[in-house]
Structure formats: C-alpha cells, structure tokens
Amino acid sequence: MKPSADTIKTFVRDLRNPKRHSSKIIWVLLVVLLIPIIIVIPEFVRPANIANVLIQMAPLGMVAIGQTYVILGGGIDLSVGSQISLISLIASTLMTDSPLNIIAVAALCLVCGVLFGALNGFILKLFPMPPIIVTLCTGYFFQGIAFALHKTSGGYIPVALKQVLTANSGFFSVPFGLYVLLFAIFAYVLYRTRFGRYVYALGGNADVLEKSGIRIDRIKIKTYMVSGLLCAIVGIYLAARLRSGSARYGDEYTLLSITATVVGGTSMAGGLGGLTGTFAGTILISMLTNVLNNIAFRYNLQSTYYKDIITGILLISAMYFYRNRK
Amino acid sequence: MLLEVKDIVKRFYGVTVLNKVNLGFAGGEVHALVGENGAGKSTLMKIIGGIYHADEGSVLVDKTAVKISNALDAAKLGISIVHQEYNLVPDMTVLENVMLGKEMTGRLKAIDKESSKAYVEEIARKDGIKVNLDKYAGDLSSAEAKVAEILRACTNSMRLLILDEPTAALDDDDVASLFSLIRNLKARNIGVIYISHRLDEVFHICDKVSVLKDGKHVGTWETGAIDRDFLVKAMVGREITAVFPPRPTTKREGTKKILCIEHLSDASHFQNVSLHVGQSEILGIGGMSGHGQRELLRALFGAGKITSGTISIEGKPVVVKHPADALKYGMAFLSDDRRNEGLAQTQSVERNIAYPSLNRYHRNGMVRTKVQHALVGDLIDRLGIKLASERQIVQNLSGGNQQRVVLAKWLPLNPRILLLDEPTLGVDVGAKVEIYKILRDLVSQGISIIMVTSDMLELLNISDRIIVFYEGSVSAEYPGEVATEEIIMAAASGKPMAIGGMV
C-alpha cells in the first residue's frame, strides 16, 4: 500500500510537533541512524553482533523500566546505580555453591531491592523534598554501604549461576529473554491496570488523583519499589556475569536509564510518555554504545569517554527537543 | 434539607474568616452564594468539600451530623465540587479522567475501556452532557473542561453539586449550555450551590441567593423576591472608617500625562486596554480579582509579554521588555507576592533596600558601604520603618514594615511612576494608615501611582481616579470623589452605570 501525500504530511507534522504519549520520533530516529551506521560499520548488522547488542541492552533496559515508572509518577531515581552495586555485593558476599543457598540469596536480593525502593518512597512521604535530592543522598548511602562491604570488586558467585543467567544460543539469550518478559509484564501493568493509570495521574496532576480518593503516597512508594526490584534483578545479573560484586558496577546505569527514558519521550515533569518510548531509547543507547565500541576497537581509542560525552549530549538534546510538547 | 451548615466558625492564624454561619441547601434547588472577595464563600465550600475543617459548628446531611475529612468522604455523601481552577489530568483522556479512582476492570485486572465508556456515555446521555470522551483533557477548552468535571461529578452518584465561579472563563454560548445542564440536574432533584460574582447569572439560573459578608451570613432570599440593587447593597453596605488621608483639594485638571498606554493586549489576560495617569495622580484599578488588572501591571513593568499596543512616557513611545527597561524609564513595581518577588527574605533590611541602587553606589565594583549606609538610614527614617537594626532579617518584620522596605528600595532611583499591586495585602489596619500617608506624600512630590487593589475601601478612598476592569478590558472610569461601592460593583460585574455622563 502506498501512503498518500496526506498521511505523510501528518506524519511529518507529528514528528516536528510530538503529541502526548507518542514515541514515533525516536523510532524514526533509530531507522535514520541505522543507515549511516551500516555504511560506516557493516559489521554492525552481522547476526553475532546483533545478538551481542541484544544481550548488552538487557540490563540497561530493565533499569530503565523502573526509572520510567518513577519519572512518569513525577519523581526521579538517582539511586539506581548504587542499588545495583549494593545488590551485586550482597549476592557475591552471601552466595555459596549450594543450589538452595543460591535461590535463597537471590530471593533475599530481590526483597532488599524492593526495600531500598520503599526506603526512597518513605523518605519522600515523611519529608516532602525534591526526589532528585533524596535519591541522590540515598544513592550515596547505598554506595557507602557497598564500599564498606568490599573495597574492591570481590566476593564469590557460583559458576552455575553465571551459566544459567548468561546462556545464549543464536539470537536468543537469557538476559534478553528476561528483559522481554519483564518488559511485557510491566508494560501490561502500566498500560492496562489501575495502578498504571494512577502512575500517570500521579505525575500529571497529583491533586486530582488525591481528590479522586486515591492514596497518592502509596502509588509513589510503589513506583520506587518497582525501580528497586528491577535494580535488584540487574544487580544479580551483573554479579553473575562477572562472578563478583562491586560498589561501582551500577554507576553508569543511573544516567543511562534516565537518558533512555527521556530520549524515549517520557517527560521529566511526569505524567507523559511511556515504556514503548523507553524501549526505543534503550535500543538507541545500546546501538550507539556498540557502534562506539566498534569504532574504538578499529582506531584503538578509549570508548568509555566518548560514550559519556554522547550520553550527556543525547540527554540535553532530548530534553530540549521535548520541552514544548502538549 | 439536603445539606445544612450550623454555626460554622473558621479561623486562619487568629483571623476569623467564617463567623457562626448557618445555611441550608435543598435538593432540586439552585442556591447562589455571593459576596465580595474574602467574604468567606470559598472557605465555606472547602469545609463542605472536606478540604478545610471547621473550628466550630457542624455539617448536616439529611439532618444527621457528618464528619467530612477529605474529598473522598464528601464524594461518598454525594457532594461534588467543581473548583474554579482546572482540575483534570492534562495528559489523560476525558474518559480516563472521569473514571479516575473508580476504573472498571475485567480479566487479569485489565482496565475495561469498553464498559467504562458505555457506562459514562449512558450517564452523559441521561444528563444531556456533550463531551468527546477520547479527547485529552489538556486539549479541552475551558468550557469543555468544566463540562468534563461536571460529568465526573455525575458519575459519583452526586446529590449536591458545588460550582465555584463556573462561568469565569466561558463565553455566552458556553454559559447557555452550562445553564441547560444545570436545569437538567435540578430536574433530577440534585441540589446545586452556585458561587458567582456575576449577579445577572444569579438572577437567571438560581432559585435562592445567600449573601456572605466579612465571614457572616447576611441573609437568604428567593431571587424572585428581590432585585439587583437590593442584592448589591446587601453585599457591600458597611461603614468607612477614618483610616484614609484626605485627598488634596487642588484641582488636577490639565496636569500633564505621565504615562499613556493605548490598545494594549497580551496573549490571554487583557485586551485593548487604553489608559493614562497624570503627574501627581493616584490611578486606582479595581474589579474582581482575575480580570487582567494584575497582568496589565506586570506587563507595564516588563514582567509580562505584550502582544500589541503602545506605551508612551511623557509623550515618547517606549518599549518595555524587561524590568530593567522599566527601571530605565523611571517605573518601580511593588508585587502582590512580596514574599517571593518583593524581598530577599533571608537578607537584611539594609541589603534589601540597597539592591536596586547598588549600581549607583560603587567604586570599580566595590560597594561604597558608607554611602549606602547613610542612604539606607535616611530612607528608614523617612518611611518610619520600625527596626531593631538595619541588619535585621526581612522575614522577621511585620507585613507593614516589609511593605515599607519594598517602597524604600525603589526611592533612591527617583521613580516617576509607581506600579502598586495590592499595596496593603497582609498589612494590618494601623500600618495601612501609615502606608496611605506615605503614598500621599510621594504623590505630592510629583510621583504618579497606578494601584491595582481588590480592597474596595482602599480603591474608593485613595484613588484620585478609578478604572474598573471586567474580563480583561476597561469597563468604566470614574473620578475618585464620586465613585461608590455600588457603582464599582456594578462595573466590576460588567454592567457599568452611567453617572453624570461618565462611564
């Protein structure tokens, strides 16, 4: 079917003036970026590399799911990186080779993650302060505990756990599969259930939500708990992948998860955007990271610095681009 | 009686806003509640709606005392409030807004959009409400937003609907459709409390009218039994105390115009405003709050954006795009938001006074503290600011003293025009007298003043000339000597009376 001139016109207009919850622009950007990337680095589209990108995007994607919940609810979680690090150390400190122990420690880590999130939420309920300050502080708090547990990376993770969590064959891999599963669950909750609706209303106009008889503090706390739970999953995964824990493993995920969310069209003010956009934002960041690594490898450069520069530029451009929406 | 309030008393920080108010509202009746700004109407409604709590007295529903601690309690009793301000989640659809907090869910806890829609459409049809349920609330016009809010109230099996200034942002057609909606509700035996400043609407749609004044219930009448003049008298009639300095007796006819504005408009608050102020004149701008006066004043000072029209000072056209421009042309501005815009709260009196004039008392960027000190001391004496020391922190001063500090900071710049927004807001009576004296004193030195105020007595007794705003335009202009509360009230509700050939 050939699109008529009119549909193209509306499509272009929507792109220039993004509407509400639309994440169209970011998908278009992805496709547009893919063309020069394929020309410059043909290796990018090799199946092995694509599979690699999918594995790499899984942890960021999971953290970004939680971050999207929090930002949609009008908050922000700057403590995600430290939560991930602390969980990785809790796991690596307590784990032994016994299967029962592995399961128990993993469960404990998930509970801790939820509790970390709840702590963020409760502090915000008890002492109403900007979430950016509160979570920055709790982030330092979590990281401090992590450093106290282990000054360098260390601990022990049984090889069996690594084998299970990093298993892959062809395009399928456990981390990406887990990400898709979690994404499906949390997208369903966000888009189809009452709780999801309340998250949007909380960020959009908390006053109205409260006057509708909803306890907004509880909704807010739950968004941080979702974030904490996902951080815990990522913490366990990173610990398993590297077979150790470290107070620094999670560092990069704080800014990256916010960038993935905002680039995906979720408004920093809350109430606007959604997980589909964040999904695209995650792909974009992972794609760029992979391309940078490829270029760095080819020219023997230090890719991490360039990645930081690009992340910063991306976040500012996205916030500027979306500023006038509505 | 569907709802009664008995001996309601409410105080804020020791100020009594409602004093033993007794009122009853019946089902199937549209009951207007009127009174001046600050009469206590909104406070009373917020008590009924569970947002505030009365210090004394009780609220009765069906003759039984009830405790309404929050909006949800009120909704359970069938009481819904449509507030004056916007109360929807902008990035959700009308349907989602209407069903917020009572979503219908089906399998796997998924929200059942089809049933919700059918349910809401059925209610809308029954009450004759027309609104597009799929539109985002942020895209609605003011009228549609009001209708959406009423629809939300209707889904709460409402018995009593409180409408707070529902027509403030509506045009005539929208008002007509709102009224037909109100009649439908009335026919279903729903009680309506209608708060409005527009008296013609009160006579048009309401069965009964109650007047509140200074927190007291003046009376309740059938709208058929009284007329407009009677109602206006009931709303305003009070004594004027001798807090105001006498006006100068000399004629000001023929004095030169200092500031002239012509056909000034901004994006949304005021349109096509033309006015002028003469030398040594106090021009008072009155009207109900929210009719564009405040925005006009801010635009004159460069704190708001002008879309068309011209400003000229002493005959020369000027462009004011930023407060710095306004200062250059000799204008000074006293904000109604003293806390945020008038003063640096945590700084000393001396520093606050010195900020605007720092440019003039420095040597190569270093503040000449001795000169500054002498200047500040002089101003403190001149305006009679009562202080323990110039180093005293501003936020610990009384409202009256704070306002004098704001005035003092502008005087070293020798302003020609003072723009005052609510100059005595939050100032007690004794200090008001002092501020009025200062204003008169400044005027006698050749300064011109434009003063926006919602204090009727202040407007009538301080202004040499009065302009009344209604819906963003000048509704009427009167000399200060002849204006009365009735005349101003009439002009402020869009029905100016002609007196002596002047409108």
Side-chain angles (χ1 to χ4, degrees):
Chain A
M1 197 174 67
K2 228 181 129 200
S4 73
D6 244 19
T7 24
I8 295 174
K9 236 190 244 165
T10 5
F11 188 78
V12 171
R13 200 195 56 214
D14 284 358
L15 281 188
R16 290 173 60 182
N17 239 330
K19 271 257 180 327
R20 308 271 162 203
H21 307 284
S22 153
S23 57
K24 217 185 272 174
I25 179 82
I26 174 79
W27 290 105
V28 171
L29 183 67
L30 270 179
V31 174
V32 170
L33 271 178
L34 209 55
I35 299 164
I37 287 176
I38 294 172
I39 295 170
V40 179
I41 313 162
E43 304 94 290
F44 182 78
V45 280
R46 273 176 28 212
N49 191 51
I50 296 283
N52 214 359
V53 172
L54 296 184
I55 292 173
Q56 282 168 352
M57 74 180 275
L60 172 60
M62 292 186 240
V63 188
I65 292 173
Q67 191 68 265
T68 303
Y69 265 76
V70 174
I71 293 180
L72 275 179
I76 191 166
D77 192 347
L78 293 185
S79 69
V80 287
S82 309
Q83 290 187 48
I84 293 168
S85 303
L86 181 52
I87 294 286
S88 77
L89 274 168
I90 293 175
S92 71
T93 308
L94 298 179
M95 271 197 193
T96 62
D97 281 324
S98 123
L100 204 63
N101 169 283
I102 294 175
I103 293 169
V105 172
L108 175 75
C109 285
L110 297 184
V111 170
C112 282
V114 172
L115 288 179
F116 294 162
L119 178 71
N120 276 329
F122 271 109
I123 293 177
L124 284 166
K125 176 189 155 85
L126 291 178
F127 315 106
M129 283 180 294
I132 195 162
I133 303 294
V134 169
T135 56
L136 182 68
C137 295
T138 55
Y140 273 95
F141 174 79
F142 295 137
Q143 193 156 42
I145 298 177
F147 273 118
L149 276 177
H150 230 291
K151 281 178 192 60
T152 54
S153 65
Y156 174 77
I157 300 286
V159 70
L161 187 63
K162 175 178 174 165
Q163 281 163 350
V164 170
L165 286 185
T166 59
N168 68 88
S169 122
F171 279 112
F172 178 81
S173 60
V174 169
F176 188 70
L178 187 63
Y179 170 49
V180 170
L181 178 71
L182 288 169
F183 186 89
I185 293 171
F186 283 102
Y188 180 83
V189 172
L190 183 68
Y191 293 125
R192 293 269 177 270
T193 69
R194 304 178 105 179
F195 173 65
R197 203 53 65 76
Y198 296 156
V199 172
Y200 275 102
L202 176 68
N205 190 337
D207 223 23
V208 173
L209 186 63
E210 187 159 41
K211 281 180 194 151
S212 304
I214 306 300
R215 300 200 183 276
I216 54 174
D217 291 333
R218 290 187 193 170
I219 306 293
K220 192 186 287 177
I221 292 170
K222 280 183 195 165
T223 62
Y224 286 94
M225 286 164 71
V226 166
S227 174
L229 175 69
L230 288 155
C231 287
I233 294 171
V234 173
I236 297 169
Y237 167 71
L238 291 183
R241 194 177 77 185
L242 299 153
R243 294 200 59 205
S244 65
S246 159
R248 299 240 84 114
Y249 279 174
D251 281 1
E252 63 172 346
Y253 290 101
T254 305
L255 193 62
L256 283 180
S257 65
I258 294 169
T259 309
T261 306
V262 172
V263 167
T266 295
S267 159
M268 280 288 223
L272 188 61
L275 278 177
T276 47
T278 302
F279 184 61
T282 307
I283 296 179
L284 180 72
I285 290 175
S286 309
M287 190 168 93
L288 289 179
T289 308
N290 182 276
V291 167
L292 273 176
N293 286 340
N294 270 310
I295 295 175
F297 180 74
R298 194 187 287 178
Y299 298 104
N300 201 12
L301 302 167
Q302 264 287 0
S303 71
T304 43
Y305 307 139
Y306 297 100
K307 189 176 159 192
D308 288 350
I309 294 170
I310 288 194
T311 308
I313 294 173
L314 210 57
L315 181 54
I316 291 181
S317 324
M319 292 210 301
Y320 183 77
F321 176 78
Y322 288 116
R323 78 204 178 283
N324 279 337
R325 186 174 30 183
K326 274 178 203 198
Chain B
M1 270 310 153
L2 175 58
L3 178 105
E4 284 170 275
V5 293
K6 278 233 154 67
D7 297 322
I8 293 280
V9 176
K10 176 72 189 172
R11 299 182 199 89
F12 286 116
Y13 311 108
V15 180
T16 307
V17 232
L18 288 174
N19 194 353
K20 302 248 169 216
V21 172
N22 287 290
L23 278 172
F25 304 97
E29 188 179 84
V30 185
H31 194 138
L33 197 60
V34 297
E36 291 180 290
N37 291 331
K41 298 167 298 202
S42 294
T43 309
L44 181 62
M45 291 308 115
K46 284 182 174 159
I47 288 172
I48 295 174
I51 295 162
Y52 293 158
H53 305 284
D55 296 323
E56 290 168 33
S58 51
V59 177
L60 283 72
V61 172
D62 299 327
K63 299 206 160 69
T64 27
V66 291
K67 192 172 171 292
I68 305 176
S69 346
N70 53 46
L72 189 59
D73 287 354
K76 280 182 187 151
L77 290 164
I79 301 168
S80 286
I81 305 191
V82 174
H83 293 276
Q84 198 175 343
E85 61 272 24
Y86 184 85
N87 250 306
L88 297 166
V89 186
D91 297 314
M92 288 176 130
T93 63
V94 172
L95 179 66
E96 288 168 345
N97 266 289
V98 167
M99 295 302 288
L100 191 63
K102 44 182 187 289
E103 287 83 359
M104 297 175 165
T105 52
R107 214 164 54 90
L108 286 174
K109 289 192 165 185
I111 289 179
D112 188 344
K113 196 180 160 197
E114 274 67 44
S115 334
S116 315
K117 199 166 181 186
Y119 167 74
V120 173
E121 269 169 353
E122 172 61 20
I123 290 173
R125 200 186 47 75
K126 215 166 56 191
D127 287 326
I129 297 174
K130 285 185 201 69
V131 60
N132 183 351
L133 292 176
D134 296 320
K135 247 188 174 176
Y136 280 106
D139 296 336
L140 300 177
S141 69
S142 326
E144 289 172 316
K146 281 283 171 243
V147 171
E149 285 189 51
I150 294 173
L151 180 58
R152 180 168 63 194
C154 289
T155 57
N156 288 341
S157 49
M158 153 185 78
R159 301 177 62 204
L160 181 73
L161 174 66
I162 301 173
L163 295 169
D164 191 356
E165 297 269 359
T167 57
L170 306 194
D171 64 31
D172 290 350
D173 288 345
D174 295 331
V175 171
S177 65
L178 178 70
F179 281 2
S180 81
L181 172 54
I182 291 177
R183 285 194 198 94
N184 282 337
L185 297 177
K186 192 175 141 182
R188 276 182 42 210
N189 207 32
I190 289 168
V192 177
I193 303 180
Y194 191 90
I195 301 176
S196 183
H197 282 307
R198 300 183 177 177
L199 298 187
D200 45 338
E201 285 176 7
V202 169
F203 283 100
H204 191 91
I205 188 75
C206 301
D207 306 305
K208 272 187 183 167
V209 54
S210 291
V211 175
L212 284 185
K213 179 172 168 50
D214 299 335
K216 287 195 192 112
H217 179 208
V218 177
T220 298
W221 301 274
E222 301 274 336
T223 46
I226 58 168
D227 64 4
R228 194 191 169 88
D229 291 347
F230 179 89
L231 191 57
V232 170
K233 271 218 177 70
M235 285 163 70
V236 296
R238 69 178 144 192
E239 286 173 44
I240 296 168
T241 43
V243 297
F244 301 98
R247 289 193 178 85
T249 44
T250 49
K251 278 275 168 206
R252 277 172 291 94
E253 299 291 321
T255 56
K256 67 173 175 180
K257 293 177 181 175
I258 295 292
L259 175 83
C260 263
I261 68 176
E262 286 189 30
H263 311 297
L264 213 61
S265 303
D266 80 343
S268 54
H269 304 96
F270 56 88
Q271 315 89 35
N272 203 15
V273 173
S274 300
L275 53 82
H276 68 89
V277 60
Q279 182 151 28
S280 298
E281 184 183 40
I282 299 182
L283 175 68
I285 300 182
M288 299 301 174
S289 52
H291 281 248
Q293 319 80 308
R294 180 173 187 268
E295 287 74 17
L296 174 72
L297 209 61
R298 300 177 77 85
L300 280 178
F301 192 60
K305 214 171 176 186
I306 293 164
T307 51
S308 66
T310 55
I311 304 173
S312 53
I313 289 175
E314 291 182 9
K316 289 188 207 81
V318 296
V319 178
V320 184
K321 284 190 169 164
H322 187 272
D325 297 333
L327 289 183
K328 197 171 68 191
Y329 297 123
M331 289 192 259
F333 175 63
L334 207 112
S335 167
D336 59 339
D337 188 1
R338 189 164 56 222
R339 184 175 291 272
N340 292 312
E341 295 183 334
L343 295 167
Q345 287 284 322
T346 55
Q347 304 283 311
S348 70
V349 170
E350 180 170 12
R351 288 199 172 181
N352 265 290
I353 293 179
Y355 280 132
S357 48
L358 275 180
N359 272 342
R360 306 186 174 195
Y361 306 103
H362 70 87
R363 185 187 292 131
N364 306 327
M366 307 276 279
V367 177
R368 296 169 70 188
T369 38
K370 270 188 196 154
V371 179
Q372 180 192 309
H373 195 74
L375 173 89
V376 169
D378 182 47
L379 283 164
I380 289 172
D381 285 347
R382 199 169 136 203
L383 299 185
I385 305 173
K386 291 165 200 81
L387 294 173
S389 128
E390 302 88 77
R391 302 264 157 83
Q392 202 170 336
I393 300 302
V394 160
Q395 67 185 357
N396 302 330
L397 299 179
S398 71
N401 270 326
Q402 286 190 2
Q403 200 67 310
R404 271 180 270 195
V405 172
V406 182
L407 274 172
K409 75 175 189 177
W410 295 121
L411 295 184
L413 301 180
N414 298 319
R416 285 180 293 179
I417 304 156
L418 278 181
L419 307 169
L420 310 180
D421 194 359
E422 305 287 353
T424 59
L425 191 72
V427 170
D428 62 48
V429 180
K432 273 186 186 180
V433 179
E434 297 286 319
I435 286 177
Y436 295 145
K437 274 194 195 135
I438 294 170
L439 296 184
R440 270 288 155 222
D441 188 42
L442 292 173
V443 167
S444 71
Q445 293 163 28
I447 290 178
S448 308
I449 292 179
I450 301 180
M451 171 181 78
V452 166
T453 177
S454 58
D455 183 329
M456 183 63 85
L457 297 177
E458 181 172 294
L459 181 70
L460 288 170
N461 293 287
I462 295 299
S463 316
D464 296 319
R465 200 152 48 86
I466 296 173
I467 277 177
V468 184
F469 263 58
Y470 176 69
E471 299 198 332
S473 300
V474 175
S475 153
E477 177 178 336
Y478 304 105
E481 295 86 358
V482 302
T484 62
E485 286 198 61
E486 284 85 350
I487 292 171
I488 302 288
M489 284 296 279
S493 51
K495 297 278 151 46
M497 308 178 204
I499 45 164
M502 249 172 304
V503 170

